[in-house]
Amino acid sequence: MSLLIIGSVAFDAIETPFGKTDKIIGGAATYISMVSSYHTNNINLVAVVGEDFPEEHINLLQKMGVDTEGLQIKEGEKSFFWSGRYHNDMNSRDTLVTELNVLENFDPVIPSSYQDCKYLMLGNLSPQVQHTVIDRLENRPKLVAMDTMNFWMDIALPELTETLKKIDVLIINDEEARQLSGEYSLVKASRKIMEMGPSYLVIKKGEHGALLFHENNIFSAPALPLEEVFDPTGAGDSFAGGFISYLAKTDDISFENMKRAVIYGSAMASFCVEKFGTERLIGLTNKEIENRVQAFISLSSVDISLSI
Ligand code: AMP
């Protein structure tokens, strides 16, 4: 099933208690595309970079099976740059720099070969651009999922509110859910957010797993306790990539199947944090992915009798 991914393709500079990187390849759509390449092979990317973006990174995405016809390269302009520093708990971070550069005037162009899109993943980008992509598709996809972040809540809340009315699944973290809803309780927050538009909501809680909400149903997925967490950058995007590509592969958007997609998303996020940037997402084997998903299943399955 065709999967259309939009989002940032970027340079990142990351500081964690374990080390520091210079500019490395990053961006929401990079992580989502790389992860999706393990589940489905009909992946179309709409994004923008500047002329400073190395061709080898674009070649790498292509090699992983991502169609980059929709990736614009802007002559004389610079790519989006983001820099962040993680606190000692590795669960929270400060954004040090956000240079929008090419993203400032990004006008997403959807190649005609991308128009048959059945699954749409709106990765982290300005909500106006996310909205424009929905408007520019001739037919509404079967499922529209979206990620966003506090940055856009701070500077573009009215536009974000409009875009939320058009989507099916919102994937955000606990801090963002609290900011968007004004509620501390995630259950209350989920109700308020689902009233804003999406009928499904995923709230990621970092090392505490993820929650899936739909109507009155809640599913809780664990996070795998890992021996080493090196760099959480991109974990949220890897989750989104695992989630949407599993749904696209199975072409089943029931609540039951979304639970499985949450486990796949969690498994892919757990790989991402084991090395800096996208490093761990390159060259994964099917066996490694299967074993990781199995570890998630084993982690929380219990045989219990209620008649004691
Ligand atoms: P995550 O750790 O999953 O929240 O995502 C980290 C990625 O998001 C990094 O690779 C950044 O390049 C990208 N990013 C950070 N801020 C923004 C933003 N305002 N818009 C789009 N992408 C962003």
Side-chain angles (χ1 to χ4, degrees):
M1 293 301 135
S2 63
L3 168 61
L4 175 56
I5 295 168
I6 73 154
S8 50
V9 172
F11 287 123
D12 290 346
I14 304 159
E15 282 180 43
T16 81
F18 303 107
K20 202 172 160 171
T21 67
D22 286 329
K23 282 189 174 181
I24 56 172
I25 185 175
T30 304
Y31 286 96
I32 298 169
S33 301
M34 284 185 168
V35 165
S36 295
S37 73
Y38 292 99
H39 295 127
T40 181
N41 48 22
N42 201 346
I43 305 168
N44 297 325
L45 173 66
V46 166
V48 62
V49 291
E51 67 173 10
D52 54 353
F53 202 74
E55 213 182 313
E56 67 193 83
H57 293 315
I58 301 174
N59 293 342
L60 174 64
L61 287 173
Q62 290 167 344
K63 242 195 247 160
M64 291 179 87
V66 180
D67 186 311
T68 59
E69 192 191 337
L71 176 65
Q72 300 173 35
I73 302 170
K74 292 281 179 197
E75 292 290 316
E77 292 189 46
K78 282 167 76 182
S79 302
F80 174 72
F81 172 63
W82 175 83
S83 166
R85 182 191 293 135
Y86 287 85
H87 301 164
N88 280 339
D89 66 4
M90 293 290 258
N91 257 337
S92 50
R93 71 182 176 206
D94 296 324
T95 289
L96 304 176
V97 182
T98 301
E99 284 175 14
L100 289 176
N101 299 329
V102 281
L103 282 190
E104 202 141 8
N105 299 307
F106 179 34
D107 186 21
V109 177
I110 320 277
S112 55
S113 60
Y114 290 11
Q115 281 292 345
D116 71 337
C117 152
K118 207 164 179 187
Y119 288 82
L120 172 60
M121 181 67 228
L122 300 168
N124 195 5
L125 260 190
S126 98
Q128 296 98 305
V129 174
Q130 292 174 318
H131 199 291
T132 303
V133 169
I134 300 174
D135 286 347
R136 289 189 178 166
L137 287 171
E138 284 155 16
N139 301 308
R140 193 189 190 277
K142 181 170 173 177
L143 191 85
V144 180
M146 172 177 150
D147 184 11
T148 188
M149 73 185 294
N150 48 2
F151 179 82
W152 302 113
M153 291 173 201
D154 292 340
I155 69 164
L157 190 57
E159 293 84 352
L160 177 61
T161 310
E162 279 311 300
T163 310
L164 286 175
K165 293 179 188 160
K166 303 264 175 177
I167 65 158
D168 303 302
V169 188
L170 181 66
I171 304 172
I172 49 179
N173 69 31
D174 42 4
E175 198 186 318
E176 292 155 355
R178 289 184 172 120
Q179 179 169 345
L180 185 59
S181 63
E183 293 286 350
Y184 184 80
S185 151
L186 294 180
V187 176
K188 285 187 185 164
S190 73
R191 267 188 232 124
K192 279 201 176 169
I193 294 170
M194 288 192 287
E195 277 166 17
M196 296 176 188
S199 48
Y200 295 87
L201 172 68
V202 177
I203 300 182
K204 299 162 291 175
K205 299 185 296 159
E207 65 174 340
H208 303 296
L211 298 170
L212 169 68
F213 296 89
H214 174 58
E215 296 172 345
N216 289 324
N217 304 308
I218 307 179
F219 172 67
S220 172
L224 196 64
L226 293 168
E227 260 180 58
E228 281 197 296
V229 175
F230 233 77
D231 169 21
T233 309
D237 305 312
S238 301
F239 176 97
F243 177 84
I244 195 77
S245 58
Y246 181 79
L247 294 178
K249 178 185 173 182
T250 52
D251 196 22
D252 172 356
I253 56 171
S254 63
F255 185 70
E256 278 311 299
N257 204 46
M258 285 211 192
K259 290 184 189 175
R260 294 182 201 109
V262 167
I263 297 293
Y264 264 88
S266 306
M268 299 313 284
S270 77
F271 284 121
C272 176
V273 304
E274 288 179 335
K275 289 200 173 156
F276 266 110
T278 55
E279 207 183 328
R280 186 72 174 101
L281 302 178
I282 300 162
L284 284 170
T285 63
N286 286 342
K287 194 74 206 148
E288 275 179 299
I289 297 173
E290 271 170 34
N291 288 345
R292 190 56 66 92
V293 170
Q294 189 53 54
F296 270 85
I297 296 168
S298 310
L299 191 65
S300 52
S301 67
V302 54
D303 189 10
I304 189 166
S305 161
L306 295 178
S307 54
I308 19 169

